[in-house]
């Protein structure tokens, strides 16, 4: 199965990412937490969410969101193994995100037509993922690996690759990343802050999401 086939079967997920340009990354421990965040994202107009596989409740949270918040496109992040990938897909995850490049996971997803956004940090990893057919890659940890300067250096070498940088991205540097032609979208936990969710501070979650959308909109208008 080639890259176009996987993208086609993804149901427009990449297109949704390209449109909103900001992807909240959440670590959730209950349906209550999931509902608080989902309601905030809906109010702010961000209709995509990555739920990390960092808690025992990850599968159930994804299953709940897929059933109760139909407007959201739900992906599973921090996928480290085929077992986690299977659990996430069974729960209803529409796409998977891994922190690093794992060829076996890449092959597993391609064979099943599952959209994977594999993590890369070096040119060698970019080449390995591209050879398997993946052209949208997670650049992680973005700030620690040189951030904007590294992505600028990679652009002429890999003109066909689009990146989703993650790691150290906040409202303060979001525009610096989104202005890059090889950045499809940015992902980050600041849009799904654990403390705000636990405290039920929906208003601040909405404010952050709206701010991010506004910044993304401003960047899109820059020639």
């Amino acid at each position: 199965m080639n890259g176009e086939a996987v993208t086609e079967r993804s149901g427009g997920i990449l297109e949704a990412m390209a449109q909103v340009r900001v992807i909240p990354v959440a670590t959730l421990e209950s349906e209550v937490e999931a509902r608080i965040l989902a309601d905030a994202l809906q109010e702010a107009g961000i209709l995509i969410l990555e739920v990390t596989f960092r808690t025992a409740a990850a599968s159930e949270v994804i299953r709940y969101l897929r059933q109760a918040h139909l407007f959201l496109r739900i992906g599973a992040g921090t996928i480290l193994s085929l077992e986690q990938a299977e659990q996430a897909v069974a729960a209803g995850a529409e796409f998977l995100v891994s922190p690093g490049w794992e060829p076996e996971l890449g092959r597993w997803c391609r064979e099943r037509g599952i959209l994977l956004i594999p993590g890369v940090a070096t040119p060698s990893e970019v080449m390995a993922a591209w050879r398997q057919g993946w052209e949208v890659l997670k650049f992680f940890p973005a700030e620690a690996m040189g951030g904007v300067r590294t992505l600028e250096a990679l652009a002429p070498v890999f003109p066909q690759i689009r990146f989703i940088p993650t790691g150290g991205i906040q409202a303060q540097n979001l525009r610096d990343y989104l202005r890059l032609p090889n950045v499809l979208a940015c992902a980050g936990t600041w849009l799904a802050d654990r403390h705000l969710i636990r405290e039920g501070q929906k208003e601040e979650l909405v404010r952050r999401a709206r701010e991010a959308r506004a910044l993304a909109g401003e960047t899109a208008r820059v020639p």
Side-chain angles (χ1 to χ4, degrees):
M1 182 179 295
N2 59 29
E4 288 83 5
V6 174
T7 301
E8 186 176 321
R9 291 187 61 180
S10 71
I13 296 170
L14 291 177
E15 290 83 354
M17 292 178 177
Q19 182 176 18
V20 71
R21 304 209 72 198
V22 286
I23 305 168
V25 178
T27 299
L28 302 167
E29 296 182 342
S30 68
E31 292 183 4
V32 172
E33 292 184 356
R35 183 173 65 251
I36 292 169
L37 179 59
D39 289 346
L41 294 179
Q42 182 178 23
E43 187 171 331
I46 293 181
L47 307 183
I48 193 162
L49 173 63
E50 175 187 331
V51 177
T52 70
F53 249 66
R54 298 181 186 178
T55 71
S59 290
E60 291 307 312
V61 165
I62 291 172
R63 185 171 289 107
Y64 161 75
L65 287 169
R66 287 284 285 153
Q67 295 173 350
H69 299 272
L70 301 179
F71 61 91
L72 274 178
R73 308 304 298 265
I74 305 295
T78 321
I79 298 298
L80 305 177
S81 66
L82 293 183
E83 181 182 7
Q84 287 182 330
E86 291 170 349
Q87 292 173 0
V89 171
E94 298 178 84
F95 62 95
L96 303 179
V97 183
S98 59
W101 169 243
E102 168 50 56
E104 187 178 8
L105 178 61
R107 285 191 292 270
W108 185 89
C109 288
R110 294 200 69 76
E111 289 170 359
R112 291 157 180 79
I114 298 166
L115 176 62
L116 172 69
I117 301 174
V120 298
T122 68
S124 295
E125 292 169 336
V126 173
M127 290 176 64
W130 175 65
R131 280 197 299 267
Q132 204 179 85
W134 304 106
E135 295 187 349
V136 176
L137 310 177
K138 171 179 177 173
F139 179 56
F140 175 83
E143 284 289 279
M145 296 305 298
V148 168
R149 291 182 63 186
T150 298
L151 288 169
E152 287 176 330
L154 292 173
V157 182
F158 303 107
Q160 72 277 45
I161 301 297
R162 295 296 176 265
F163 294 96
I164 300 178
T166 311
I169 297 177
Q170 303 283 337
Q172 294 85 346
N173 59 4
L174 179 62
R175 279 183 292 194
D176 295 334
Y177 283 93
L178 291 181
R179 68 175 174 80
L180 301 178
N182 60 342
V183 169
L184 179 75
C186 288
T189 59
W190 94 98
L191 294 171
D193 183 87
R194 292 286 300 127
H195 173 75
L196 296 178
I197 295 172
R198 285 174 175 171
E199 296 296 322
Q201 296 186 41
K202 177 185 170 184
E203 295 79 8
E204 176 60 15
L205 291 167
V206 172
R207 187 199 68 77
R208 292 189 183 193
R210 284 177 171 165
E211 177 186 39
R213 286 213 68 190
L215 291 170
E218 292 171 11
T219 307
R221 289 191 290 272
V222 174

